[in-house]
Amino acid sequence: MTDKELQAYVKELKKWEGHEPVAKKKFNETFFTVGYGNYGQHVKEGTVQTEEESTADLIKNIEDRIPQIIRNIPEFDSFPLELKTKIVSSWFRGSLSGSPKTLGLINEGKFQEASSEFLDNQEYKTARQNNKGGIIKRMDATSQAL
């Protein structure tokens, strides 16, 4: 991963995730979230992070996920930066990593079909009624990039 790619991923994720300086639970989730989407059992209630600490965690989280993405999308490195950025963003939130059909279509080079399949998702379809409207814009952005 080049520095240019990393900076594009950081910028994209910061845009969608926003900075949460104090750990909190969002949308009745099991674990807490802090910083720029740092979520999981390792995040404890009351954790406080500066933007600098959160950016460092975000970079580590991106670096941890890139090998997972490449294992699942072997041609990832050959994609245009705009598409790679959207893939990283959607992988980060779990919507792409949780869609084996979409991954299969991407790997077959069937990007238009992958775009449609990606949005055939229960969370996407119920986002407005569950007060998660931001998911729609984020998933639409990935779908359009495909």
Side-chain angles (χ1 to χ4, degrees):
M1 171 174 45
T2 67
D3 189 55
K4 179 180 178 181
E5 289 169 334
L6 178 60
Q7 293 311 311
Y9 304 154
V10 168
K11 181 179 179 182
E12 181 79 5
L13 285 164
K14 282 184 173 185
K15 174 180 81 175
W16 291 114
E17 295 293 335
H19 184 251
E20 191 65 56
V22 180
K24 73 175 194 176
K25 287 190 179 182
K26 297 180 176 184
F27 308 113
N28 299 319
E29 291 181 333
T30 304
F31 303 113
F32 289 87
T33 300
V34 70
Y36 295 108
N38 190 359
Y39 170 82
Q41 192 172 0
H42 64 283
V43 179
K44 304 301 179 198
E45 184 175 9
T47 300
V48 177
Q49 282 191 340
T50 65
E51 286 192 44
E52 292 77 21
E53 292 168 324
S54 297
T55 297
D57 276 351
L58 178 59
I59 290 168
K60 182 184 180 322
N61 285 332
I62 292 167
E63 290 170 342
D64 288 347
R65 284 175 172 84
I66 294 295
Q68 297 168 15
I69 293 169
I70 292 170
R71 270 195 303 280
N72 285 275
I73 307 173
E75 297 299 316
F76 174 79
D77 282 331
S78 70
F79 295 163
L81 182 56
E82 173 67 16
L83 177 55
K84 291 186 342 184
T85 300
K86 300 305 186 220
I87 288 172
V88 168
S89 175
S90 288
W91 196 277
F92 193 85
R93 80 164 302 277
S95 51
L96 186 56
S97 58
S99 183
K101 287 183 182 178
T102 303
L103 292 172
L105 291 166
I106 290 170
N107 287 328
E108 291 173 27
K110 298 178 179 177
F111 293 98
Q112 191 164 359
E113 291 175 49
S115 172
S116 296
E117 175 61 34
F118 182 66
L119 298 182
D120 188 15
N121 173 293
Q122 191 63 28
E123 186 180 30
Y124 177 81
K125 292 176 182 178
T126 61
R128 286 202 206 293
Q129 70 191 44
N130 291 329
N131 203 25
K132 294 183 175 183
I135 290 169
I136 294 169
K137 291 179 184 176
R138 190 168 179 177
M139 290 182 73
D140 281 346
T142 299
S143 176
Q144 290 167 9
L146 288 167

